[in-house]
Amino acid sequence: MQRRGAPAASAFSTATTSSYLIGPGDLLELVLLDPSAKQLGGQVEVLNDGSISLPLLGSVVVNGLSIGQASRLLSQQYRQHLLRPDLTLRVVRPRPIQVSVVGEVQSPGLYSLTSNEVSLINGAEVSSLNGLPRVVTAIQKAGGITLNAGLSQVILRRRIEGTSSGTKDVPLDLLSLLQTGDQSQNPFLFDGDSIVVPRSETTSDQAAELAAANLSPRVITVNVVGEVVKPGRLEVRANTSVMDAILAAGGPKAWRANKSNIELIRLNRDNTVTHQMFRIDYGQPLSSVRNPPLKDGDTLIVQRSLFAATSDAIGAVTDPLVGLVNIWALVDLINNPNR
């Protein structure tokens, strides 16, 4: 992995090349080892029909082949024209890829990812040395995981090289990635991959805290209204907790806020609405029960205290009377200016 701002590598690692499947939009580089045929090589882009156009060979379909398979195919075809058909083939610029992210993520769907995607891991921006996005990048782009995500049973579904419909499932343990930094659980993504995040009812508070820091977008927008100092829409870091959002809104108003009556309103993906009640306790750690992380679009309502409600009710009755008394005093002053 590489921090943002460092130069990206121009070629894939050996491990990535062995399983990468060529597709339209890839920029390849062909090098013929026969000195007399060196001028026949160079860079070539894979066309929309999955073919490349080469001297001596014409159009050759390489779509869906790994780099190794394509190298062997080209070597076999050049054998009919060259005494020494040995060659090397590499990916110079990978194409944008499309992957699907489904299950327990905020916005499941199909996503287009490029070699310039940036992930946020442990608060630091990191990008891939090899030009391909990883699993965490795609999950973050899908809005991050839900609180019910089973981080230890994520599935990466990938097309088998050389086939049009065959797939294989690779189990991933993202909790191990977040706890121990095991990068083998965060592989590079290829075009057509699917990421399945299953549901789990036993996600621990520790897992929720780790996921909040790593498997979410950078910022979200929430609403904090009612008896706070600065009510309205707020832009906060992803998975800001209920208590932190109240503090970001200036905190509860003295005497007016009911600190035991904080309501969280959330619109779910199935268009249902959930309501949860909390009490203000700044000592609570991030927790799925007492201090949950917020999602984009959440609304927090800090209700009025009994004192504020009573005061407002009295004010609603007495304010018009005070105004009426003031009007009669003004009329009396006009009619009796010498009084």
Side-chain angles (χ1 to χ4, degrees):
M1 300 291 285
Q2 172 190 23
R3 292 198 178 276
R4 195 176 192 181
S10 60
F12 291 155
S13 65
T14 302
T16 306
T17 302
S18 63
S19 51
Y20 184 79
L21 302 184
I22 299 171
D26 283 334
L27 183 64
L28 310 177
E29 183 176 54
L30 174 66
V31 177
L32 292 162
L33 303 183
D34 187 342
S36 63
K38 195 169 184 179
Q39 73 280 5
L40 299 178
Q43 294 186 356
V44 59
E45 185 170 358
V46 183
L47 303 178
N48 289 339
D49 62 358
S51 70
I52 53 177
S53 183
L54 297 171
L56 299 181
L57 302 184
S59 180
V60 180
V61 176
V62 293
N63 185 53
L65 301 181
S66 66
I67 297 297
Q69 290 174 327
S71 297
R72 289 189 291 273
L73 172 65
L74 296 178
S75 183
Q76 291 171 0
Q77 296 199 15
Y78 272 119
R79 186 170 286 113
Q80 303 174 23
H81 305 277
L82 303 173
L83 293 176
R84 187 183 175 189
D86 299 329
L87 57 86
T88 60
L89 186 68
R90 69 188 184 108
V91 179
V92 177
R93 186 196 66 221
R95 67 192 182 277
I97 64 173
Q98 284 195 328
V99 300
S100 59
V101 187
V102 298
E104 293 299 317
V105 292
Q106 304 296 341
S107 302
L110 186 65
Y111 290 89
S112 180
L113 304 173
T114 71
S115 58
N116 296 320
E117 299 292 338
V118 175
S119 297
L120 190 67
I121 298 181
N122 291 326
E125 290 184 349
V126 290
S127 56
S128 170
L129 273 172
N130 297 88
L132 286 175
R134 293 178 181 259
V135 168
V136 166
T137 312
I139 291 176
Q140 289 177 343
K141 195 150 190 177
I145 62 171
T146 71
L147 292 178
N148 300 116
L151 298 180
S152 300
Q153 299 94 31
V154 175
I155 297 295
L156 173 60
R157 186 161 293 148
R158 174 163 293 168
R159 182 160 51 98
I160 299 174
E161 59 185 53
T163 68
S164 59
S165 58
T167 61
K168 60 181 178 181
D169 287 353
V170 180
L172 300 175
D173 185 354
L174 295 189
L175 192 56
S176 174
L177 166 68
L178 300 177
Q179 290 176 326
T180 68
D182 182 4
Q183 284 294 331
S184 67
Q185 305 302 318
N186 187 27
F188 292 108
L189 292 173
F190 299 152
D191 194 39
D193 282 353
S194 296
I195 300 169
V196 183
V197 182
R199 183 179 179 86
S200 173
E201 301 297 341
T202 59
T203 302
S204 66
D205 289 343
Q206 180 189 23
E209 186 170 1
L210 285 167
N214 294 277
L215 299 181
S216 297
R218 276 169 262 182
V219 294
I220 58 174
T221 300
V222 298
N223 303 293
V224 184
V225 297
E227 300 300 330
V228 291
V229 175
K230 296 181 292 186
R233 293 172 65 86
L234 292 176
E235 239 189 26
V236 295
R237 60 182 176 81
N239 280 298
T240 292
S241 70
V242 168
M243 303 306 157
D244 287 342
I246 292 173
L247 286 175
K253 287 183 178 179
W255 304 106
R256 292 193 59 85
N258 184 346
K259 296 182 179 180
S260 298
N261 193 7
I262 312 301
E263 184 176 9
L264 169 62
I265 300 177
R266 174 171 294 163
L267 178 63
N268 301 309
R269 282 161 34 194
D270 58 0
N271 291 325
T272 60
V273 177
T274 57
H275 299 259
Q276 292 178 272
M277 303 302 297
F278 303 93
R279 64 182 299 271
I280 293 180
D281 181 358
Y282 298 126
Q284 285 290 342
L286 185 70
S287 166
S288 59
V289 177
R290 295 185 177 89
N291 188 24
L294 296 176
K295 300 178 183 179
D296 191 56
D298 279 354
T299 296
L300 283 175
I301 303 176
V302 180
Q303 304 287 357
R304 290 182 299 175
S305 65
L306 179 60
F307 173 83
T310 303
S311 176
D312 291 347
I314 294 173
V317 173
T318 60
D319 284 351
L321 295 179
V322 170
L324 186 60
V325 170
N326 289 337
I327 291 172
W328 280 113
L330 178 61
V331 170
D332 184 56
L333 181 63
I334 295 171
N335 293 333
N336 304 280
N338 296 321
R339 180 181 295 184

